[in-house]
Amino acid sequence: MLSPKLFKGEEREVKTSGEVSVDGTPLDYIVVLSTVVTVLAFIPFSITIGSGGLFPMSQGIFPLVGWLLGPLAGAITSGMGTLIGVFLAPHTAGIPLISILGAVIASFTAGVMSSGKRNTCWRFGLTLIFVIELFLYTRHALYNRVSLSTIIAGSFIDWSGILLFALPTCSLIAQCINSQKPFFVTVGVFVGTWMVMGLSHLGQVVITYYMFNWPEETWLFLVPIVPLENLIRSLMGAFIGIRVISGLRAIGLMKPKQAIY
């Protein structure tokens, strides 16, 4: 009986050839996840108090899309899915261009959370943009005679998102998402979704507030509601995210070049 032989050699990387990709992410992945975003756009979970309309469940997976595909492919995927959802599910479209912008911001921001020189530069640039947006948002609220204490309470998800993104907590969250332990992945996805969707909210609200100029009474009404909505997004993202990431790891599907998980 012949004994089995073990062959040793240099580890090789297997790549598929002839496949269209965006920044290392196969086009098939973008199409599939765009469809998922569109489907979830049909399902509302909250009312937009400031400008009218409904929030779709797809907001809970915008960060996940960025972590799965990377910044550029993730932004394209969420943007395309939201754009299609604007036409097919207008009841959750809100202000279409701003909804699409929010989706793009969320997935791109999530995608640049991993380490690397390019992502570090993007993180610095995005942090600067978010700080400027918060300044403009606060200044306009003060102009509309909203008290500073109300502004601080009403923008909690916005400035907490900036702090989590600018501090080393951002890299820590990325490490948790990349962990092989489901508990750490769940925590990373939950906190990461809170952070990213807070920043996405800031990118949208800095525009809508200049459009609608809601008074302090509306701010006070939103103080408990906005964090609750972001909490729901985070729980939704964690619930879906841990299952998707675990499933992708289990089946051994090719990991996109810029993916964080």
Side-chain angles (χ1 to χ4, degrees):
M1 182 175 179
L2 297 176
S3 59
K5 295 183 179 180
L6 297 178
F7 296 93
K8 296 182 179 180
E10 184 180 353
E11 183 178 357
R12 292 178 294 178
E13 182 179 359
V14 179
K15 296 182 179 179
T16 57
S17 60
E19 191 174 63
V20 179
S21 64
V22 176
D23 198 21
T25 300
L27 188 59
D28 293 347
Y29 292 15
I30 295 175
V31 172
V32 170
L33 285 178
S34 292
T35 304
V36 174
V37 170
T38 301
V39 170
L40 291 179
F42 280 86
I43 309 172
F45 79 86
S46 182
I47 299 173
T48 311
I49 303 297
S51 58
L54 299 168
F55 283 138
M57 284 186 67
S58 56
Q59 290 186 359
I61 68 164
F62 289 156
L64 178 64
V65 172
W67 296 322
L68 295 178
L69 304 182
L72 183 58
I76 293 173
T77 299
S78 292
M80 285 178 53
T82 304
L83 174 61
I84 297 172
V86 164
F87 293 100
L88 299 182
H91 59 288
T92 63
I95 304 173
L97 290 179
I98 294 178
S99 297
I100 296 170
L101 175 64
V104 171
I105 291 173
S107 293
F108 187 85
T109 302
V112 300
M113 286 173 56
S114 62
S115 59
K117 185 176 180 180
R118 186 180 71 167
N119 287 343
T120 301
C121 293
W122 273 116
R123 281 172 56 186
F124 177 80
L126 286 172
T127 300
L128 183 60
I129 292 172
F130 293 138
V131 170
I132 293 173
E133 288 177 341
L134 183 61
F135 169 76
L136 294 174
Y137 185 35
T138 302
R139 186 183 68 173
H140 195 60
L142 292 172
Y143 176 80
N144 287 331
R145 298 182 179 180
V146 180
S147 66
L148 183 59
S149 59
T150 301
I151 296 172
I152 293 173
S155 61
F156 170 65
I157 70 169
D158 307 310
W159 56 259
S160 66
I162 293 177
L163 290 177
L164 289 170
F165 189 68
L167 295 175
T169 46
C170 184
S171 297
L172 183 61
I173 293 169
Q175 291 173 16
C176 286
I177 295 172
N178 188 249
S179 172
Q180 296 300 315
K181 297 182 178 180
F183 173 77
F184 289 114
V185 176
T186 304
V187 172
V189 173
F190 175 84
V191 179
T193 302
W194 174 280
M195 174 187 71
V196 170
M197 291 312 299
L199 297 173
S200 174
H201 175 267
L202 176 60
Q204 297 174 82
V205 78
V206 71
I207 300 174
T208 56
Y209 186 48
Y210 275 83
M211 296 170 60
F212 296 101
N213 294 297
W214 50 83
E216 184 164 12
E217 290 75 14
T218 303
W219 276 80
L220 293 171
F221 183 73
L222 291 172
V223 166
I225 294 178
V226 174
L228 178 61
E229 289 174 342
N230 213 40
L231 176 63
I232 295 174
R233 294 186 190 101
S234 301
L235 290 171
M236 192 187 315
F239 180 81
I240 297 174
I242 182 60
R243 286 158 177 79
V244 171
I245 292 174
S246 297
L248 290 176
R249 289 174 175 173
I251 63 177
L253 197 65
M254 187 186 75
K255 188 175 179 181
K257 182 180 177 182
Q258 301 296 330
I260 292 177
Y261 75 95

